[in-house]
Amino acid sequence: MLGRRTKGAALVGAGLVLALGLTACGGGPSKKETIADGDAICRDANARVASIQKPGSYQQLSEAAGSLAAATDDQVTRLGRLSVPGDDKARLDGVFSSLRGVATAAQQLRESAGRSDDGATAAAAAQASTSAREAADQARAYGFTVCGSSTQTATATVVDGARLILKTAFVARAEAICLGPDEELGSLREPTDLRSLARFVDTLVPVLEKVVD
């Protein structure tokens, strides 16, 4: 009886040692397995945005940003279900959080572009670019070859389009601002003496200040 108890205690002790050993090693799959599974998820999710062309209008920008947001959100959701090495959880949470930031910014970009809101569009595009760069850097540092980098490529295409659209809109609005004063100043006569110079300056300065404002 005593022998059986001793043997049982030894088995329990061995089990505890094994469990503690696994805990110390972090548990879960290997890093190599996690990278392979994660890259497979990212490759599949980003296949939907790989064909995105640089948008040339607010409507196209809204559609492209919507596709990027949906693909990245799906990617993050599926990555969140991965079983990961226990010791690497914090690092991977950082990668996934940055990817989630891309999805959020892309959704904001979709909405602001849909309203043709220059300010909000510029802010959302900048945030999407920053989040994509952070995700790519963190993913690459961990060992991923697809996760992060593929999202950054798609984001860059969308953001480059946003920059062009914003520049075009700015130029059009600036031209409109300058058009009226340009016609007004065009009717001014060249001063021929100090008195006419004073009138010329009195007319010119307020118009220029208005344009600059």
Side-chain angles (χ1 to χ4, degrees):
M1 186 70 174
L2 181 59
R4 288 198 298 273
R5 289 180 179 175
T6 302
K7 184 177 180 180
L11 290 173
V12 171
L16 287 173
V17 169
L18 177 60
L20 289 172
L22 289 174
T23 301
C25 293
S30 69
K31 180 177 179 178
K32 184 177 181 180
E33 291 171 331
T34 297
I35 290 173
D37 291 342
D39 274 342
I41 289 173
C42 295
R43 187 178 295 107
D44 178 62
N46 284 319
R48 287 178 287 169
V49 294
S51 61
I52 286 181
Q53 301 294 314
K54 183 188 294 186
S57 66
Y58 267 122
Q59 181 178 349
Q60 292 176 359
L61 176 59
S62 182
E63 293 171 355
S67 297
L68 177 62
T72 308
D73 185 63
D74 175 59
Q75 176 178 269
V76 174
T77 299
R78 293 166 63 187
L79 286 172
R81 300 190 189 117
L82 273 179
S83 179
V84 303
D87 290 344
D88 293 346
K89 187 177 186 305
R91 290 184 65 188
L92 289 170
D93 282 347
V95 176
F96 301 160
S97 177
S98 294
L99 285 171
R100 193 173 296 109
V102 176
T104 300
Q107 178 62 24
Q108 293 170 345
L109 183 57
R110 184 191 73 81
E111 295 171 358
S112 60
R115 301 191 305 269
S116 299
D117 186 330
D118 291 349
T121 296
Q127 185 56 55
S129 182
T130 297
S131 295
R133 183 175 61 253
E134 290 175 352
D137 289 345
Q138 293 175 19
R140 192 179 301 111
Y142 184 75
F144 289 111
T145 58
V146 179
C147 289
S149 60
S150 56
T151 302
Q152 186 179 30
T153 299
T155 302
T157 299
V158 174
V159 170
D160 284 348
R163 288 172 177 154
L164 178 61
I165 292 165
L166 287 168
K167 180 179 179 180
T168 301
F170 171 80
V171 169
R173 290 174 185 176
E175 290 281 49
I177 290 172
C178 295
L179 182 60
D182 184 62
E183 293 176 351
E184 184 177 351
L185 294 177
S187 64
L188 289 178
R189 294 182 179 181
E190 185 177 349
T192 57
D193 53 38
L194 290 178
R195 181 174 296 178
S196 61
L197 175 61
R199 289 196 300 269
F200 182 89
V201 172
D202 286 343
T203 303
L204 176 66
V205 171
V207 172
L208 294 180
E209 288 179 340
K210 182 179 179 181
V211 170
V212 173
D213 288 342

